Amino acid sequence: SVETMQEDIDKYFADCDEKGKPYTVSGLAYALNTTRRTLLDYEEKDEYSHTIKSAKAKIEMFNEEMLYSKDVSTTGFIFNLKKNYNWKDKQEIEAEVNSEVTINIELTDDE
């Protein structure tokens, strides 16, 4: 049930806090006795969608906050945000192009 799932999710986060472990989607799935893929599939079911999305939002927030930590390497957190939360490196380039186009047409007597 959704209520049981929420209780297990709360236990997972409390356990991570107690042990100083990072929040992860795979860790959450393991705590729910399932796989990451199954957890993501359940996210698409109306009954469980909000519960799972809320838990994933907490994990995403944790990862984002870790980007500002001076005590850890941020590489893993960046990877996680890109893979699990569709974050992207985006580089915008503005360019102005001016050009002239010349068209030469040759006509034959048949045309």
Side-chain angles (χ1 to χ4, degrees), residues 47-84:
E47 182 180 358
Y48 297 95
S49 182
H50 176 73
T51 303
I52 294 171
K53 284 181 180 180
S54 179
K56 284 181 60 187
K58 185 170 182 169
I59 297 169
E60 181 179 14
M61 180 182 72
F62 170 82
N63 280 270
E64 183 179 2
E65 288 174 352
M66 292 307 292
L67 296 176
Y68 297 97
S69 174
K70 298 194 183 334
D71 300 330
V72 296
S73 170
T74 59
T75 305
F77 297 104
I78 293 168
F79 177 80
N80 189 0
L81 289 165
K82 287 179 180 180
K83 289 298 181 185
N84 288 311

Side-chain angles (χ1 to χ4, degrees), residues 15-67:
D15 185 57
C16 287
D17 291 341
E18 183 180 308
K19 295 178 180 175
K21 293 170 40 178
Y23 302 157
T24 66
V25 174
S26 296
L28 175 62
Y30 185 80
L32 296 173
N33 198 30
T34 191
T35 65
R36 180 181 174 279
R37 179 73 261 155
T38 300
L39 180 66
L40 297 178
D41 289 343
Y42 264 77
E43 183 179 2
E44 300 303 316
K45 295 183 179 191
D46 288 341
E47 182 180 358
Y48 297 95
S49 182
H50 176 73
T51 303
I52 294 171
K53 284 181 180 180
S54 179
K56 284 181 60 187
K58 185 170 182 169
I59 297 169
E60 181 179 14
M61 180 182 72
F62 170 82
N63 280 270
E64 183 179 2
E65 288 174 352
M66 292 307 292
L67 296 176

